[in-house]
Amino acid sequence: MELIRLHTPLNKLQTKESGPMFDVLRLPVLLFRRYYHALWLRVCLYALLSLVISLITFVLRRALPETLLGGVDADAVMPVLTILASSMLAVSTFSLNVMVSAHRAAASASTPRVHRLLLQDTTTQSVLSAFIGAFIFALTTIILFRAGFYGDEEAIVVLAITTVVVAIIIVAMLRWIGHLSHLGSLDNSLDVAANEVRRSLSATRRRPCIGATPLTPETVLPEETTPILAPRTGYLQLIDIAELASCAKSHGAVYVLKRPGQLVFKDTMIAQVAGTLPDGVRDKLSSAFVIGTDRTHELDPEFSLLTLSEIASKALSPGVNDPGTAIAVINRVTSLFWDALDQSVEAPKHPEVFMPAPGAEDLIEAAFAAAARDGAGQIEVAEALRRNLLQLASSDDPDMARAATAMAARALAYAEEALTLEQTRDRLRALTRADQTFSTTTEPTE
């Protein structure tokens, strides 16, 4: 069962602009986008930029008229640089402590999996990078003054650059103060997880196989194929579909047997290629699969849904007992599914590569199974869950409708076992699909 209608004619498929993660399917681009969201990379870039700014002072000095040179001496600039260096070191250390504490609080209030998403917060990264970059700029400039590379002629250029750096720091502090008002809160964790689910579901709807042709039970594999084995044990994180497609054009169709997010074991088959392949080509194809110890969000919509559903499961635990948060998560996930169904399906960019698509049952399972189990004993949660699942069951997508109907039936079975009052069970059974309710309550006029 696929999230999209695989029987839709190709001439009816409409192409929309691809999501940011899937514009280019080359593995180096995907890896660069992954490391671009790492805090250390942005800090290093800011640090390198601060060093470059310190060293281009000589070039800027030559562009100034002689009347301006010497107007400011080094003694006027050094105190400002000293204050900037000492204060930025303290601010950077304090901000890092705040970030770590906020992430721990968010992981404790929601789910530990949200910590990885919070680490990709560009606002926190930019602010911390600006603080550390200003510290490195001030420290480097002080060293250059003390070493005699800078003199009174360069002082006015350094003062001008320092003024710009101070303005950047003020803006960064204002952003940081505003960001701290919600950093680490449960609402922020919900927003971050929901945004990731929105991106993941939208991309999955448009390209369920990240540009490849869906591999279904009806797909007939060639009689002679060459297996591609997993180089290590772990979770399949990324797949270079473009690399597989280039091999398929010269050797034969490639059939990927695993999708991102699934656990694979070393020396087990993860793909097959039509015909026979030299060992060198097999090794090259093996490198197109990135396998790691943890699941990642880039190409794994089920993991994104699990992260959001774990927030609801945590809220329903006896120690927290927060059904309102669980209902909020259920409502958000349902709206994200509903919005994703409006996305148009793109034609496969690489039809010579086949890959299994995420099934609607798997996505619904990841999104609602935990809430159906843990919220069965609370009528408000069970009612919200059944109402939302029945809403998805009324969608025009047959696979999604079947998966939502099956999950609604399971949630009802959980609730009937957990609820103690027959009155509440009858109230839950009375909920029907939205289209059925409309047809039974609206009488035709004569």
Side-chain angles (χ1 to χ4, degrees):
M1 297 287 185
E2 273 68 40
L3 178 61
I4 66 169
R5 303 183 189 91
L6 297 180
H7 57 271
T8 304
L10 292 179
N11 59 355
K12 293 186 178 179
L13 293 176
Q14 299 178 358
T15 303
K16 278 192 175 183
E17 183 181 356
S18 300
M21 185 57 65
F22 302 105
D23 287 336
V24 183
L25 300 177
R26 300 297 299 185
L27 185 58
V29 177
L30 294 175
L31 291 175
F32 171 77
R33 291 177 185 271
R34 170 184 291 185
Y35 291 114
Y36 174 75
H37 289 287
L39 177 61
W40 64 267
L41 178 61
R42 189 163 298 199
V43 170
C44 291
L45 292 177
Y46 271 70
L48 181 61
L49 178 62
S50 65
L51 290 175
V52 172
I53 292 175
S54 299
L55 297 177
I56 64 173
T57 302
F58 298 104
V59 178
L60 296 176
R61 180 179 66 85
R62 296 190 183 96
L64 293 178
E66 293 294 333
T67 55
L68 292 178
L69 299 178
V72 178
D73 57 11
D75 293 335
V77 182
M78 285 296 293
V80 179
L81 293 173
T82 302
I83 294 173
L84 190 62
S86 59
S87 60
M88 285 301 101
L89 179 60
V91 169
S92 300
T93 305
F94 173 76
S95 299
L96 284 171
N97 290 332
V98 170
M99 183 195 72
V100 172
S101 300
H103 287 188
R104 287 179 178 175
S108 177
S110 55
T111 171
R113 255 63 60 190
V114 80
H115 174 66
R116 302 182 202 173
L117 297 175
L118 293 176
L119 287 176
Q120 301 178 9
D121 179 20
T122 55
T123 300
T124 301
Q125 293 176 356
S126 299
V127 168
L128 292 176
S129 301
F131 292 159
I132 297 175
F135 166 74
I136 295 176
F137 162 76
L139 184 62
T140 304
T141 307
I142 291 173
I143 293 174
L144 292 175
F145 267 117
R146 296 300 186 187
F149 291 99
Y150 285 170
D152 291 339
E153 292 184 348
E154 289 81 15
I156 188 171
V157 180
V158 173
L159 181 60
I161 296 176
T162 304
T163 304
V164 175
V165 171
V166 170
I168 294 174
I169 292 302
I170 293 175
V171 174
M173 284 185 173
L174 294 176
R175 292 182 63 194
W176 186 232
I177 292 172
H179 195 57
L180 286 179
S181 62
H182 59 271
L183 182 64
S185 65
L186 182 59
D187 289 339
N188 182 53
S189 301
L190 278 173
D191 291 337
V192 171
N195 288 335
E196 184 62 31
V197 170
R198 179 182 294 105
R199 180 207 64 80
S200 184
L201 285 180
S202 178
T204 302
R205 177 69 179 183
R206 291 195 306 270
R207 292 184 178 179
C209 301
I210 55 177
T213 303
L215 180 64
T216 66
E218 291 75 23
T219 304
V220 179
L221 273 65
E223 294 183 359
E224 183 180 5
T225 59
T226 301
I228 305 299
L229 305 181
R232 56 174 296 186
T233 299
Y235 289 99
L236 183 57
Q237 297 177 346
L238 302 174
I239 302 177
D240 192 343
I241 297 295
E243 179 64 31
L244 298 179
S246 63
C247 171
K249 291 178 181 177
S250 14
H251 295 87
V254 178
Y255 301 90
V256 180
L257 306 180
K258 301 288 185 178
R259 65 175 184 268
Q262 291 186 307
L263 181 65
V264 298
F265 297 91
K266 183 179 180 180
D267 294 333
T268 59
M269 188 165 55
I270 57 177
Q272 291 177 286
V273 182
T276 58
L277 291 177
D279 292 338
V281 177
R282 292 178 61 182
D283 296 338
K284 185 178 181 180
L285 289 181
S286 296
S287 63
F289 299 88
V290 176
I291 299 174
T293 56
D294 300 314
R295 296 181 72 172
T296 57
H297 294 274
E298 291 104 336
L299 304 177
D300 189 359
E302 293 176 47
F303 184 54
S304 300
L305 289 166
L306 277 172
T307 301
L308 189 55
S309 69
E310 284 179 353
I311 299 178
S313 186
K314 180 69 173 290
L316 292 171
S317 62
V320 179
N321 192 23
D322 182 15
T325 296
I327 294 173
V329 171
I330 292 170
N331 293 336
R332 285 201 186 197
V333 174
T334 305
S335 63
L336 293 173
F337 268 114
W338 194 265
D339 293 340
L341 292 173
D342 289 335
Q343 296 285 339
S344 299
V345 182
E346 297 182 5
K349 186 177 181 181
H350 303 290
E352 62 277 5
V353 179
F354 294 81
M355 174 183 160
E361 293 88 351
D362 298 327
L363 297 177
I364 291 293
E365 177 81 15
F368 298 109
R373 180 192 64 238
D374 300 331
Q378 303 186 42
I379 181 58
E380 61 270 29
V381 178
E383 191 174 31
L385 178 60
R386 181 165 173 80
R387 183 182 295 109
N388 281 274
L389 285 171
L390 292 177
Q391 178 64 39
L392 289 177
S394 66
S395 68
D396 295 332
D397 189 295
D399 295 330
M400 178 61 65
R402 281 191 293 268
T405 301
M407 181 57 67
R410 192 204 303 184
L412 179 60
Y414 276 131
E416 288 181 338
E417 288 291 331
L419 294 173
T420 56
L421 292 178
E422 183 65 25
Q423 182 180 4
T424 56
R425 291 195 290 266
D426 292 339
R427 173 181 164 187
L428 195 60
R429 297 189 196 103
L431 292 175
T432 57
R433 286 176 49 166
D435 54 351
Q436 292 176 347
T437 302
F438 180 81
S439 62
T440 56
T441 57
T442 303
E443 296 295 335
T445 58
E446 296 183 359

